[in-house]
Amino acid sequence: MKALLMHRDRDFDPDADLPPNAQDLTQDLELDILLAAMSGGDPFLLGVARSAVLVGVQDPGVIVYRQRILADCLQQPEVVRELYAIAEEAVLREKKIWAGVFGDRYPEGLLHRSVQVLQLFVTLLRRIRGIADERAGAFASEGFRAFFAMIEHELDDAYIASIENHLRRLEFRDGLLISAELGAGNKGTQYVLRGAVRRRQGWKDRILPDRSGFVYQLPDRDEAGFRALSELRDRGLALVAIALSQSTDHILSFFTMLRTELGFYVACLNLHDRLAAAGGPVVFPEVSAGAPVLTGRGLYDPCLSLETAGPVVGNDVAADGRRLVMVTGANRGGKSTFLRSIGLAQLMLQCGMFVAAEQFRADVCDGVFTHFAREEDESMTSGRFDEELGRMRGIVGQVGRGSLVLLNESFASTNEREGSEIAGQIVRALVDSGVKVCYVTHLFDLARAFHGQPSLRALFLRAERLDDGTRTFRLVEGDPLPTSFGEDVYRQVFGETIAASTLPDVAMRLAAPDAERRRTAEPSADGLCA
Amino acid sequence: MPFQSILFDDVPAPPDLESRPQPDCFPDLNLDQVVASVTRGRDEYRLAPFFNVSIHDLRLIEYRHEVLRDLEDRALLERIGAFAGGMRAMRAAVAQADRLRYPLQKQRWHLEAARIYCDAVASLSGDLAASTAASRGLQAFRAYLDGYVASPAFTSLRDDTADVAGRLADVRYCLHIRGARIRVTRYDDEPDYSAEVLEAFDKFKRAAPRDYRFTFSAGAEMNHVEAAVLDRVARLHPDVFTALAGYAREHRAFVDPTIRRFDREIQFYMACREYVTHLAGMGLSFCYPQVSDRSKTVHVRDAFDVALADRLARDGGAVVTNDADLSGRERILVVSGPNQGGKTTFARMFGQLHWLASLGWPVPGTEARLFLFDRLYTHFEREEDLENLSGRFENDLRRIRAILDEATPDSIVVLNESFSGTTTDDALLIGRRVMEEIIRRDMLCVSVTFLDELSAMGEATVSMVSGVDAHDAARRTFKVVRRPADGRAYAWAIAEKYGLTYRDITARLAP
């Protein structure tokens, strides 16, 4: 019995190793905000959501499989939440069943516990059967249809009745009948639990009193003797105890898996409810494989929407057939937000979720990597540069052809010429190797150089800045410009104009705070919300 | 003469074989380490005494070489190993029978021991018949074994054992446990309820289920409940258990003494093969030496210190091999050179080669001609004598005196830094005297010394020097080569010790 709601043919592994860049992704894309919304405060759901989002799948077939199941969930949220509650109950109550005085290190104790656990599970399985009988018709997805069909097939009434019969017999009211042979040194061996011959109706399954043979009666208070007797019983019960424990393990793993896999969809429902409340649209993305595809309409950062509890500015992007998107332009113009929205959309797409957009399509990638300028160690410029190069070495060690790399102000910690040179080499190498790159940068030398290389087929986007200096937080297609309008920001902050000669330096220093915008400035005051 | 011993053929083993102390030269030559290593895991065979007895009989050495050559056949080696395993299992079963309390258990373990013994003997007999063993020793043993296996003593043991064991194996019974009462009955085809439960729950079996395993007391002993059950099983099957009791009386002692002796002695060879194979894994060679009791020619290629090689095999490191030659009138190898240059190792190697050869063992090296000595003496610097110089010198002299009192022209002596506990003049004086005496007696000798003069005492002495790298004076090659002693190597060693080599000084003074 398997739930098979995440993969057609195998269990979802919530404990799969997270990719080595999970930490960077979480930090750079502010994933914790998204995951918290998915979990609704439940630590278990948080773990499932984290694993599902960070360990995506590459097979478009699996992605569509999940999208359809999720579509069913959006139609029947209360049924899905009820199934989830049953699975959760099974897992939580099983933990509380103790082995009793025998302890589960011994067959008799283990058996005793297994019988109790199975009694619980059979009750809960009957409830799932009931839901399947009543509600299966409302589900259209391949995944749910297969799930309900499995439940009806595996748990027919006759089978459940036979299991319940065994659970009663396994209490051994008539004592145990065990056969044995003589092993090494004439010690008993090959102990096998025996059922009595079924002779008469009514005596069925009962051990008949047998007057033949020889009797040994243990004296009262012979403690060692009772221990020895108990061991004899254990030897006879070992096989049955193992079989029942393995059965309880299996059914428990079914419930655990059902809880985990439904947990993902419940988490998606949670997120859906939150985004709907914030007025943020979602859509199931179109997914393809092979050629680079990246097209979106109204693509926005769901974390920003969750945080502000309101709709946020979306962007359009049309980069099908391109591997490089260069984003330049005004500081605090929504560039980093845009980059995050692409990264989040890609991660959400690859775990089978909806994405935060009005429309979105992309090809699957084999990994999303982020290289965002970091604040730490600001005092030591050379240290920062080392740190950046170290992280980049780590990324280059992990990317594959067909990865997506998001660069945010990378290599701005050194002078522009050096940074451009290094970044140019890296980006060119990545793109030529089949990696998709989105690069938000102030490095004008680099942007201009790429602009002059038509073979790169780069898409150039610019943060829109109206002539009066107003930012719309939209990105528009446009050639790179030699200034990042740092002066605008400077003026906004300091209320004065800076001398032209110091501009590049200041622009550089102001680049990093852009990544931290939402922690330092009030979005609503900026006119961030539409 | 029927077969007696795979180690001594028809020669009586020394009567004091088991009690003879380890030879004095063993610690100096590190042969004690070699013996410990060779016999490790074979304690029950008490092999050490066999290493203490050097053989002075060329025919017996050849007898042993033949057996060892037969055992180069891996298949034969494995079969004899299987026989040894059977004999060990047999002894374990006998010991088990002795330890246990309940007679029905003792009798069954005794039967088991005999069953194992019969199997091991019958298998070995078949294996040897099928083998191409050509040695006098194994051929004679094969003939003996054929006779034994066909004898009534063996056939009746084997048949009785099989009969009783078979009847016991057929016994099946049932226990009906209810409360504090156990009823023991004959098994009457009651159905297997475990199988029924397993089938019912099979649907819930995972591809890789958790492996539950219960450890029941695995000891051979029974508790009184088990014994009470067994007692009732015996009452249910009186004929079977009567037969078991009769068997135990009839076949009380069943092991043939000659086979018992073979089982022990063949381990001397098994240990040898195992050890040689182990060191061969490091690319080291052993060869069967050509041993003479007349010619004192020594000719050895690519030999090594076995104890050192064994240690390096464990700890890692390359083994340096050395050659040694004495021909014509040459009798004494005088080894000088830098400390830690391999001098002592070389001296040990020389002693080990001869002792191992006298055991009928292969020796380290690719070629070896060696002399069959009557006694082997060593005189190594003793650390415990360091408390005062004069005492140590005197002690040195007494030990040398004792050696020379006993030694014959057929003896070998290995001297290592003898007489270092005095002034150079005294050491030279005494050293010359001792050397002259050794030369006069025509003994074979290796002398490790810091006295260059001792290396040029006529045609009997051959000077050998522990080598240093021609390009790097501080690097030891551990090669000991035939070369006149010139004292330079020694000076280099001192220079290095004080960090005053050419390299040290130039490195320190570099700009």
Side-chain angles (χ1 to χ4, degrees):
Chain A
M1 293 205 310
K2 283 171 183 282
L4 300 183
L5 292 171
M6 291 293 272
H7 298 276
R8 268 189 198 85
D9 51 357
R10 62 186 167 89
D11 291 339
F12 171 68
D13 178 7
D15 300 318
D17 288 341
L18 298 180
N21 60 330
Q23 172 89 39
D24 285 339
L25 276 178
T26 305
Q27 182 176 347
D28 294 337
L29 300 182
E30 308 200 333
L31 264 184
D32 284 337
I33 295 169
L34 186 81
L35 297 176
M38 292 178 77
S39 76
D42 179 338
F44 176 78
L45 290 181
L46 181 66
V48 172
R50 184 186 307 282
S51 174
V53 170
L54 283 169
V55 186
V57 291
Q58 269 90 54
D59 176 356
V62 176
I63 292 169
V64 171
Y65 181 76
R66 293 183 187 178
Q67 285 181 352
R68 302 224 164 113
I69 291 173
L70 180 53
D72 268 345
C73 295
L74 293 171
Q75 293 294 314
Q76 307 285 338
E78 73 291 343
V79 176
V80 171
R81 286 185 191 273
E82 188 184 346
L83 282 171
Y84 176 75
I86 292 172
E88 189 177 38
E89 182 182 347
V91 173
L92 298 182
R93 281 181 60 188
E94 188 271 346
K95 283 197 181 74
K96 292 184 183 142
I97 296 177
W98 296 101
V101 291
F102 301 111
D104 62 3
R105 283 170 40 245
Y106 300 98
E108 190 144 24
L110 191 68
L111 180 65
H112 178 72
R113 179 179 191 275
S114 299
V115 168
Q116 287 186 71
V117 171
L118 281 169
Q119 282 162 350
L120 165 71
F121 284 173
V122 167
T123 312
L124 294 172
L125 287 172
R126 273 190 188 280
R127 276 172 61 192
I128 291 184
R129 251 299 298 277
I131 293 173
D133 291 350
E134 286 174 28
R135 311 296 295 268
F139 288 77
S141 64
E142 179 196 347
F144 265 118
R145 294 180 81 94
F147 173 76
F148 286 127
M150 182 275 292
I151 289 295
E152 280 169 36
H153 173 256
E154 298 279 328
L155 302 174
D156 66 81
D157 294 336
Y159 183 65
I160 291 184
S162 97
I163 291 296
E164 285 172 335
N165 177 42
H166 277 297
L167 293 179
R168 272 193 303 277
R169 278 182 76 183
L170 287 167
E171 292 174 0
F172 298 112
R173 302 241 161 94
D174 301 319
L176 299 182
L177 187 65
I178 298 165
S179 72
E181 297 170 26
L182 296 174
N186 279 340
K187 270 175 76 106
T189 184
Q190 305 293 330
Y191 291 95
V192 177
L193 186 64
R194 297 286 169 179
V197 184
R198 301 170 183 191
R199 282 176 225 186
R200 270 187 288 156
Q201 206 71 30
W203 282 97
K204 194 178 169 195
D205 299 340
R206 298 207 58 184
I207 294 172
L208 294 168
D210 184 345
R211 301 283 173 221
S212 70
F214 301 98
V215 168
Y216 175 64
Q217 177 78 37
L218 223 63
D220 288 344
R221 289 191 291 277
D222 175 5
E223 278 182 37
F226 276 98
R227 270 200 303 279
L229 190 66
S230 176
E231 184 168 322
L232 275 180
R233 294 171 65 95
D234 277 341
R235 286 180 194 264
L237 291 173
L239 272 182
V240 167
I242 289 169
L244 255 69
S245 298
Q246 287 174 344
S247 296
T248 57
D249 287 351
H250 174 85
I251 303 174
L252 177 62
S253 93
F254 165 73
F255 278 123
T256 304
M257 211 30 77
L258 185 63
R259 180 193 186 201
T260 304
E261 300 193 353
L262 282 175
F264 168 71
Y265 296 103
V266 168
C268 291
L269 290 175
N270 290 345
L271 177 64
H272 183 266
D273 293 351
R274 289 279 309 277
L275 286 175
V282 293
V283 67
F284 281 113
E286 289 172 52
V287 51
S288 63
V293 173
L294 177 62
T295 288
R297 201 178 69 240
L299 180 66
Y300 66 96
D301 176 355
C303 298
L304 189 56
S305 181
L306 288 167
E307 249 197 340
T308 59
V312 294
V313 176
N315 275 295
D316 300 343
V317 60
D320 287 2
R322 298 176 190 270
R323 289 220 163 78
L324 177 59
V325 177
M326 294 292 290
V327 185
T328 59
N331 280 318
R332 297 173 56 186
K335 300 195 301 289
S336 298
T337 305
F338 169 72
L339 205 54
R340 267 192 285 272
S341 71
I342 286 185
L344 287 168
Q346 188 74 38
L347 287 180
M348 290 164 78
L349 175 148
Q350 290 208 226
C351 69
M353 285 172 83
F354 42 73
V355 300
E358 288 156 26
Q359 190 245 321
F360 187 72
R361 69 165 180 260
D363 57 317
V364 291
C365 66
D366 58 18
V368 177
F369 299 88
T370 52
H371 187 267
F372 281 34
R374 292 273 168 78
E375 287 301 287
E376 61 258 39
D377 206 12
E378 250 187 323
S379 57
M380 299 167 60
T381 310
S382 68
R384 257 183 86 185
F385 192 49
D386 281 345
E387 186 271 337
E388 276 200 293
L389 288 168
R391 265 194 295 140
M392 183 56 79
R393 182 180 55 199
I395 289 172
V396 168
Q398 296 163 39
V399 289
R401 305 176 84 86
S403 290
L404 171 64
V405 177
L406 307 174
L407 304 172
N408 193 8
E409 301 295 4
S410 299
F411 308 116
S413 59
T414 181
N415 68 64
E416 179 162 0
R417 193 142 300 153
E418 192 173 59
S420 294
E421 180 60 32
I422 289 169
Q425 304 261 350
I426 293 169
V427 170
R428 181 91 224 195
L430 289 174
V431 170
D432 287 351
S433 309
V435 177
K436 275 208 288 191
V437 178
C438 288
Y439 197 165
V440 166
T441 187
H442 279 82
L443 298 171
F444 176 69
D445 281 358
L446 175 69
R448 188 176 48 194
F450 281 168
H451 196 252
Q453 295 175 35
S455 64
L456 265 175
R457 305 201 65 237
L459 173 70
F460 290 89
L461 297 178
R462 229 166 51 198
E464 190 176 41
R465 176 185 184 259
L466 305 179
D467 290 341
D468 63 358
T470 312
R471 283 158 208 77
T472 63
F473 301 104
R474 279 182 203 287
L475 300 179
V476 293
E477 284 196 36
D479 297 342
L481 294 177
T483 169
S484 291
F485 306 98
E487 189 179 351
D488 294 344
V489 181
Y490 185 90
R491 193 166 51 225
Q492 209 172 311
V493 174
F494 292 95
E496 60 184 83
T497 311
I498 39 174
S501 61
T502 60
L503 192 59
D505 267 4
V506 174
M508 217 75 69
R509 246 183 286 134
L510 289 173
D514 182 69
E516 293 295 306
R517 171 171 44 81
R518 271 164 295 137
R519 294 201 188 86
T520 53
E522 309 79 359
S524 53
D526 273 16
L528 196 62
C529 294
Chain B
M1 187 104 182
F3 173 84
Q4 290 178 358
S5 164
I6 197 73
L7 273 186
F8 294 98
D9 194 8
D10 50 4
V11 180
D16 63 342
L17 173 73
E18 310 291 342
S19 59
R20 197 182 279 203
Q22 189 183 63
D24 290 341
C25 66
F26 270 35
D28 288 340
L29 297 179
N30 285 348
L31 276 171
D32 53 346
Q33 295 172 24
V34 174
V35 171
S37 180
V38 170
T39 60
R40 188 166 301 134
R42 291 186 157 83
D43 294 352
E44 62 187 306
Y45 299 109
R46 293 172 291 108
L47 296 179
F50 299 133
F51 289 89
N52 296 342
V53 180
S54 63
I55 297 174
H56 309 293
D57 178 344
L58 288 174
R59 198 189 58 89
L60 194 51
I61 288 176
E62 184 53 32
Y63 180 87
R64 291 185 178 185
H65 283 181
E66 285 175 15
V67 174
L68 280 168
R69 282 184 212 271
D70 274 348
L71 293 179
E72 283 171 21
D73 175 1
R74 187 177 288 276
L76 180 61
L77 196 70
E78 279 169 11
R79 284 170 199 151
I80 292 178
F83 164 75
M87 293 294 278
R88 270 198 303 277
M90 178 271 290
R91 285 192 293 275
V94 169
Q96 192 62 265
D98 288 347
R99 270 196 300 272
L100 290 170
R101 198 152 45 98
Y102 294 107
L104 293 183
Q105 276 208 284
K106 294 172 95 70
Q107 290 166 7
R108 182 69 190 265
W109 276 110
H110 176 79
L111 175 81
E112 177 65 5
R115 191 193 61 73
I116 297 169
Y117 172 76
C118 291
D119 278 359
V121 168
S123 299
L124 182 64
S125 172
D127 290 341
L128 283 181
S131 84
T132 54
S135 62
R136 280 168 288 166
L138 283 175
Q139 285 199 351
F141 178 66
R142 176 162 65 195
Y144 176 84
L145 200 56
D146 287 348
Y148 172 68
V149 167
S151 71
F154 182 76
T155 53
S156 76
L157 176 71
R158 185 188 56 199
D159 296 346
D160 291 355
T161 308
D163 174 54
V164 178
R167 291 168 72 182
L168 282 164
D170 288 340
V171 170
R172 279 178 119 185
Y173 56 97
C174 271
L175 306 173
H176 181 200
I177 305 173
R178 192 171 187 186
R181 199 196 63 178
I182 306 175
R183 181 181 293 275
V184 184
T185 58
R186 283 175 175 263
Y187 169 68
D188 187 26
D189 282 330
E190 286 88 351
D192 181 342
Y193 184 53
S194 300
E196 233 178 283
V197 173
L198 261 54
E199 195 193 330
F201 287 87
D202 190 54
K203 182 173 288 184
F204 299 125
K205 195 166 170 188
R206 268 192 291 181
R210 186 174 138 198
D211 188 13
Y212 289 93
R213 206 163 282 173
F214 299 107
T215 45
F216 295 109
S217 57
E221 289 81 9
M222 279 184 173
N223 56 53
H224 64 286
V225 173
E226 286 176 296
V229 168
L230 179 56
D231 180 54
R232 281 152 184 79
V233 172
R235 279 154 69 189
L236 284 170
H237 302 271
D239 51 330
V240 177
F241 284 84
T242 308
L244 178 61
Y247 174 92
R249 277 193 303 277
E250 195 173 336
H251 299 288
R252 202 175 298 275
F254 53 80
V255 181
D256 179 77
T258 303
I259 290 175
R260 194 199 304 276
R261 183 173 180 189
F262 174 84
D263 177 48
R264 178 190 178 197
E265 293 183 344
I266 195 70
Q267 288 297 324
F268 182 75
Y269 298 107
M270 304 285 283
C272 172
R273 295 274 7 131
E274 205 170 279
Y275 195 69
V276 165
T277 306
H278 161 64
L279 290 182
M282 294 182 74
L284 297 170
S285 299
F286 279 79
C287 63
Y288 294 100
Q290 193 183 328
V291 184
S292 171
D293 56 3
R294 284 197 296 275
S295 162
K296 290 184 179 170
T297 296
V298 171
H299 169 80
V300 177
R301 286 290 168 272
D302 306 315
F304 51 89
D305 175 345
V306 185
L308 179 63
D310 190 13
R311 201 176 69 229
L312 291 172
R314 281 195 302 275
D315 303 347
V319 177
V320 173
T321 60
N322 275 303
D323 302 340
D325 282 285
L326 289 170
S327 58
R329 305 285 303 274
E330 295 165 355
R331 294 290 180 270
I332 304 173
L333 295 169
V334 181
V335 185
S336 58
N339 289 325
Q340 278 115 41
K343 288 180 300 186
T344 301
T345 296
F346 183 88
R348 284 198 180 108
M349 174 191 91
F350 189 88
Q352 288 171 2
L353 282 165
H354 283 89
W355 193 275
L356 291 177
S358 81
L359 296 176
W361 261 48
V363 297
T366 50
E367 299 170 29
R369 287 183 65 179
L370 298 166
F371 178 64
L372 189 59
F373 59 89
D374 61 355
R375 290 181 192 130
L376 199 159
Y377 298 99
T378 55
H379 186 264
F380 277 43
E381 219 180 354
R382 289 275 155 85
E383 284 184 27
E384 64 264 34
D385 296 336
L386 283 173
E387 72 272 5
N388 72 68
L389 283 181
S390 66
R392 178 168 144 196
F393 183 57
E394 186 184 331
N395 204 343
D396 276 354
L397 279 182
R398 286 188 190 285
R399 279 165 53 212
I400 277 286
R401 169 75 197 270
I403 289 170
L404 291 177
D405 282 351
E406 282 180 26
T408 74
D410 284 349
S411 300
I412 291 178
V413 60
V414 179
L415 304 173
N416 189 17
E417 300 285 11
S418 304
F419 327 119
S420 51
T422 184
T423 63
T424 304
D425 282 354
D426 281 355
L428 199 51
L429 183 71
I430 301 299
R432 274 186 204 279
R433 289 265 171 83
V434 171
M435 291 292 277
E436 279 161 9
E437 183 58 22
I438 291 171
I439 291 168
R440 194 185 62 74
R441 297 205 195 172
D442 199 33
M443 290 163 66
L444 283 177
C445 171
V446 172
S447 174
V448 173
T449 181
F450 63 100
L451 301 168
D452 288 351
E453 290 85 345
L454 298 186
S455 68
M457 293 185 58
E459 56 187 351
T461 56
V462 172
S463 172
M464 300 200 68
V465 177
S466 61
V468 286
D469 195 310
H471 304 291
D472 181 356
R475 226 192 65 141
R476 272 73 182 250
T477 62
F478 300 107
K479 278 276 184 197
V480 176
V481 294
R482 201 170 169 124
R483 199 174 74 190
D486 56 10
R488 279 178 56 201
Y490 196 48
W492 278 331
I494 290 172
E496 196 212 11
K497 187 176 167 190
Y498 288 94
L500 294 172
T501 62
Y502 177 79
R503 169 187 269 199
D504 291 335
I505 293 167
T506 52
R508 187 155 49 88
L509 296 182

